[in-house]
Amino acid sequence: MTELHELFLKRLAQTSDAPIALEISRAEGCWLVAADGRRYLDLIAGIGVSALGHGHPNVIAAIEAQARRHLHVMVYGEYVIEAQVQLARRLTELLPTKLERVYFTNSGAEAIEGTLKVARKATGREAFAAFDGAYHGDTMGALALAGNPAFRAPFGNLPGPVRHLPFGDSAALDQIDSTIAAVVIEPVQAEGGVRIPAASFMRSLRDRCDQVGALLVFDEVLTGFGRTGKLFALEHFGVVPDIIVMAKALGGGMPLGAFCGSDDLIGTLSHDPPLGHLTTFGGHPLSCAAALASLEVIVADDLSARAAMIGADLARRLREINAPEMTAIRAIGLLIGIEFAEAQFAHRFVAETISRGVIVNWTLNADKVVRLAPPLTIEAAEIDFAVARMIEALDATRQERQVVR
Ligand code: PLP
């Protein structure tokens, strides 16, 4: 163990007893280079962040130019910051018309928190609905929506009440009633195990929200910016939410979140009282500059269509492996879930794949599911490399499990 690794374990807060603990020296394209010189193909892109891979020249140039111009100058919302304004303009051009006003935050969870406050203020209601298997972040409000009770349990009373509904089940939608301020849903559940609902379910959900006057919130923190084969996953369903929440790939590798809705909804934050929802660093100029550069590449190179094509091909190749331990491959664009019959097999497979130089990981709320979310720029030869290593990892996992038995 290196000195740095020891210090990492000793001085940084740990989020589990088993961190991957790869000592990162640098990152370029779809590859991470470790301190010992080993190269790892990044099939998770920092969990859905690095849509353009690492170190895209346009993003680096935008960050450099903005850094020379200015960094932080004032709390969010007071000065006219060109990087923020241009990004908001471009986002609202690309989103459905009624998603016309943007509030920038530092992270996805913070954008969820702002959304919950808007929903309460705009509707005068207190309750929320969310879905089993959901993940919306780890601040108190976002955690209250979490669809895995194990993660909520240690933290006592959370904001609510929150009604948790089965994901994708139209019959359960009548539990959304006129006490609900907002229904928050990931259009595709990522941490829930890459679960893709039917378009009919999403349309029924929209109808039900309209009937009872609840806001419909799409959490596109992970699904946005081409990941699912469309710029935003909402395009798969023909449904427009009242608020869309974004983060992860939005910032092009810099920390940035946003929530976006109509003038009427987002406008509730500016009065009664004024200054009632503030952030110092939300929409940081460096993050917004990086975000705009990244967004322009995603649009100009049509990386959404690329994700759809490459993702379909990768999913087909995974299905052809035909290993009895793999019970399902669920794919939408370059968000792919490999479901195994057993959680232990899935965890061992992750370790074996990483040891062969390909980074994959499991999902938080579905322990039998391994998730792939590579940069949208991944090349055919890199996919070949990944598939070959995963086949080797499957064999190794199988042999190991036989020895254990
Ligand atoms: N929503 C979804 C769907 C996510 O996947 C995540 C993070 O993984 C979040 C919200 C929280 O975002 P952040 O980690 O930036 O707070």
Side-chain angles (χ1 to χ4, degrees):
M1 193 182 294
T2 65
E3 198 185 334
L4 200 63
H5 190 163
E6 268 176 43
L7 278 171
F8 161 81
L9 293 175
K10 193 169 166 191
R11 293 291 171 220
L12 259 77
Q14 298 294 306
T15 56
S16 81
D17 291 337
I20 302 174
L22 202 61
E23 201 175 315
I24 300 298
S25 167
R26 58 179 206 281
E28 53 200 16
C30 296
W31 295 85
L32 306 177
V33 184
D36 62 6
R38 277 202 73 185
R39 288 165 62 80
Y40 292 82
L41 182 62
D42 185 1
L43 280 206
I44 55 174
I47 318 269
V49 169
S50 315
L52 305 184
H54 303 280
H56 192 285
N58 296 24
V59 175
I60 303 292
I63 292 171
E64 279 175 1
Q66 182 60 48
R68 275 192 210 99
R69 200 172 166 193
H70 64 84
L71 296 177
H72 178 79
V73 282
M74 182 50 159
V75 297
Y76 176 67
E78 291 292 338
Y79 292 170
V80 181
I81 309 285
E82 186 175 6
Q84 285 172 353
V85 178
Q86 295 296 2
L87 178 61
R89 175 192 58 78
R90 194 68 181 111
L91 280 171
T92 52
E93 270 171 16
L94 293 164
L95 282 163
T97 319
K98 80 171 183 181
L99 304 173
E100 61 196 336
R101 193 172 284 270
V102 188
Y103 190 112
F104 286 119
T105 65
N106 298 283
S107 68
E110 247 184 86
I112 291 282
E113 297 294 331
T115 299
L116 299 182
K117 285 175 75 177
V118 166
R120 279 196 170 168
K121 208 156 175 233
T123 63
R125 302 173 184 180
E126 289 228 325
F128 299 106
F131 291 86
D132 294 339
Y135 182 75
H136 299 288
D138 276 334
T139 51
M140 287 288 200
L143 182 61
L145 305 174
N148 182 343
F151 288 117
R152 300 195 306 264
F155 300 103
N157 284 333
L158 296 169
V162 178
R163 207 164 290 167
H164 285 94
L165 310 177
F167 186 72
D169 180 359
S170 298
L173 295 178
D174 58 5
Q175 292 177 51
I176 300 167
D177 59 26
S178 57
T179 65
I180 302 286
V183 181
V184 184
I185 187 167
E186 296 153 89
V188 176
Q189 277 193 348
E191 299 298 347
V194 186
R195 293 161 83 198
I196 307 160
S200 57
F201 169 75
M202 283 301 198
R203 285 200 276 271
S204 304
L205 176 59
R206 176 71 274 182
D207 290 347
R208 184 66 188 167
C209 287
D210 289 342
Q211 273 165 24
V212 300
L215 301 180
L216 177 59
V217 176
F218 273 8
D219 177 345
E220 292 236 30
V221 165
L222 196 127
T223 54
F225 304 98
R227 171 63 49 202
T228 68
K230 305 274 187 195
L231 190 58
F232 296 100
L234 59 83
E235 297 165 43
H236 290 288
F237 304 103
V239 167
V240 178
D242 298 294
I243 296 181
I244 184 171
V245 180
M246 299 169 265
K248 288 196 180 270
L250 166 64
M254 295 290 286
L256 187 64
F259 56 100
C260 189
S262 67
D263 285 347
D264 285 351
L265 282 177
I266 308 299
T268 56
L269 294 178
S270 67
H271 53 83
D272 305 318
L275 308 179
H277 188 72
L278 299 179
T279 164
T280 299
F281 285 128
H284 191 282
L286 275 193
S287 299
C288 288
L292 185 58
S294 168
L295 181 57
E296 294 300 10
V297 175
I298 291 171
V299 173
D301 294 357
D302 201 0
L303 292 184
S304 311
R306 191 168 195 281
M309 202 178 65
I310 294 181
D313 182 54
L314 176 54
R316 180 185 54 74
R317 292 177 63 176
L318 291 170
R319 287 187 186 108
E320 279 171 9
I321 294 173
N322 202 16
E325 299 85 358
M326 279 167 36
T327 52
I329 306 290
R330 290 186 290 278
I332 183 161
L334 274 170
L335 179 56
I336 297 179
I338 307 173
E339 180 153 349
F340 289 90
E342 292 172 23
Q344 274 177 326
F345 194 101
H347 281 217
R348 195 63 230 161
F349 170 78
V350 167
E352 291 290 349
T353 308
I354 294 175
S355 76
R356 286 168 175 75
V358 176
I359 310 276
V360 297
N361 77 338
W362 33 264
T363 53
L364 211 50
N365 296 332
D367 56 6
K368 293 179 185 167
V369 180
V370 172
R371 166 240 325 268
L372 312 182
L376 312 184
T377 50
I378 191 165
E379 297 287 346
E382 292 167 334
I383 296 274
D384 290 347
F385 178 84
V387 172
R389 297 295 87 74
M390 283 192 278
I391 291 172
E392 289 169 12
L394 269 172
D395 287 343
T397 307
R398 195 175 296 134
Q399 277 165 25
E400 224 170 278
R401 304 276 299 150
Q402 275 161 4
V403 172
V404 171
R405 277 180 182 146

